[in-house]
Structure formats: C-alpha cells, structure tokens
Amino acid sequence: MPDRTDVPQLGLGCVKLGSVATGGSGAAARLLGHALDRGVTFFDTAAAYGDGTSERILGRAVRGQRARVMIATKAGYRFTERSSTQRAIRWMLAPLLARRARSAAPPAPSSAASVNRPARTAYAEQDFSSAFLRMSLDGSLRRLRTDYVDIFQMHGPKKVCDSDVVRVVDEFIQSGKVRAFGVGLESLDDAHAWLDVKGLSWIQLPFGILDPQAGTGLIAAARAKGVSVIVRGVFAAGLLAEIPESREMQLHSRQRQLRKDVRALATRVGIDPLVLAAWYARSRPGVRVVLIGSSSTTQLDANIAALSAPAPTDAVAQQLDALLIDYLRDHALDTEHAT
C-alpha cells in the first residue's frame, strides 16, 4: 500500500493517567509534559477514568496551552468522585499499591475475540439520561479547567442512543461547551448503526493487527459518511512484543497463531513488530487519530518512534495483508458457526 498524505494524528490515551500502579500524579504530570514537548496535542480521557483523576491531572497539565490541544472526554458511567482527602491518602499509598500491582498474578486466559476488550473497572452502572449527561459534562469542564471540550463521547454504550441524547448533545454544542459529538465503543456490535446517528462526527473503535475486524468495511463506511475515526489498541496491549506464555494465553487460538505469524514476518524482514502494527493502523484511509497508551516517558518515546518509522515496502505490506485476510476469513467462519 502506498504512503498516504493524510497521516493520522497521534493521540495519548489517558485511561491510566495518575494510576498508582504507573507512578501516581507526579509521574503523570511528567508524562503529559513530555508528550506536549514531543508534539502530542490530542488527549483522550473520560469522566470515570480514575473517578475523575485522569481529567483533573490533564487539566492541570494543559493549563495555559488549551488552545493548542484537543481534548476528547467521555460520559455515561456513574462513579463517585474522590475527595481531596481520599486522593491524598491514595497518593501516600501509591508505592505500596504499585508494588502489589506489579506482583499480581497474570489474568486468567480469555476466549474473548478482542484484545481491546476493556479491563474490569470499579464503575459499571451506566446512565445516558439528559440530566446525568449535563452533570457529567459540567464535572468534566471543572476538572479539566476549561469551558469547552473538543469531542464529547458517549462512553461504551450497550446500544445506540435515543433522540434525547442527540438533543442534549446538540444543546451542548449550541452553548459552546462541546465542539463535536462522538462515541467511544467497546465493541463493534452496533458500530454501523451509530454511523447513522444524527450529528455524530467522531467514532472511537478497537482496531489493530490482532483486532483487524473494523478494517473490513466499518472504517471505510465511517469515512464515506463523514465520521472521523479514532482507533485504539493498535499495539495490542503489548501482546506483539516478547511476552510470557501466561500473557499469550489471553488470546484465543487463532489470535495466537496470527501473533506468531506477524512476529515471524517481522523477524524475516528485519522490522520491529510494533512498527508493523503502527503502520497497519495509520495506513487505513479514514483513520484520523491513532491513540497510544503510555505509562512512562520511555514507553511514549518508543511508541512515537514506531508510529514515525518509514512504511514497510509494498512486498512486506502485501505479506501482512495476506496474513490478515486469512485470519479474517477464519474469524468470520468461526463467528458464523457460533451463531
């Protein structure tokens, strides 16, 4: 596939921003400062991430630079925002909690089809009522220290929104509190239906070498409808790198074989598999933003390097496409048999 001129923007996913397992608020502030220094200006967060912590840290980091950044946040999960006392206690316990997180047993094997399936969180109850969305947006603006968000996304809805959601988000846009309406999907089940929602201009999808299903038509359909696509999980949560067998078992059998084949191809042609993964995501026409998740400045630099690397040759791209075509065909057959 030839190089494209409309290279997607790089965005930083902020789901773990300020997590005690990744160093707390101080490390998060350093990471955000480094990201800004490296030219990252798109940040994707959510009201419920860290019970408001992610937005709060991001708001402090971009203070004085709001005009040069794009902030996409999400609403729809109920949570209890921590008090200043609770936050202080949590940061005091950060070193202990971080050690526990690093020594925790690996997760049990999963038969899930997507490596982008969200991790289990403390928040589970969803609410997309007009009253809750108003309250959520006001809370996000306060924590982000801004008077508008660039993209206001529905957070992992289980079904396509109703007219009340469309109406209230349009109200936000008319008031200037929101610049654009989006949705962050946790699966592709209703993605095509979301493209027909009035006023929707952004859709966030799981997509990558080990999750290529969105590339079979969904991203192209979004592009045709003028809906910009944000992709996440392009590095397969680190599963393309050297990993212990316990982590590899998180994948289902066909994904394990695909991972093996992609890594073999990368070794054969002398390319880091993460570079192949980055190229695959950024080369899809219709992808506007490629989100990366980084918990340290070192990891951020490595991810930026992978996304900035030259495109593989046409011969390598064709070999990768062939692997993915075979995988998607077999995946479709598995899905058909399962139903």
Side-chain angles (χ1 to χ4, degrees), residues 13 167 279 302 310 317:
R167 185 164 53 251
W279 168 82

Side-chain angles (χ1 to χ4, degrees), residues 189-324:
D189 294 345
D190 295 315
H192 279 282
W194 271 97
L195 296 180
D196 293 324
V197 171
K198 182 181 177 182
L200 189 84
S201 53
W202 290 84
I203 188 168
Q204 185 178 147
L205 305 168
F207 180 64
I209 280 184
L210 298 186
D211 263 332
Q213 290 86 341
T216 60
L218 178 57
I219 292 175
R223 187 187 189 202
K225 290 178 179 289
V227 177
S228 298
V229 175
I230 304 168
V231 295
R232 70 172 189 279
V234 298
F235 293 126
L239 291 169
L240 284 169
E242 284 285 355
I243 55 174
E245 185 177 355
S246 59
R247 284 212 68 203
E248 187 178 347
M249 293 307 294
Q250 294 177 51
L251 302 170
H252 63 67
S253 59
R254 291 201 190 280
Q255 281 178 318
R256 290 198 296 273
Q257 184 60 50
L258 176 59
R259 175 186 176 275
K260 179 180 177 181
D261 292 341
V262 168
R263 285 183 55 81
L265 171 61
T267 299
R268 198 161 59 244
V269 299
I271 296 178
D272 187 325
L274 295 186
V275 170
L276 278 181
W279 168 82
Y280 178 70
R282 65 184 172 88
S283 66
R284 305 299 102 172
V287 172
R288 286 282 307 280
V289 178
V290 174
L291 287 183
I292 58 172
S294 300
S295 56
S296 68
T297 56
T298 301
Q299 187 182 39
L300 176 63
D301 286 340
N303 289 342
I304 290 176
L307 283 157
S308 305
T313 65
D314 287 345
V316 173
Q318 289 166 8
Q319 291 178 68
L320 179 60
D321 282 343
L323 292 176
L324 294 170

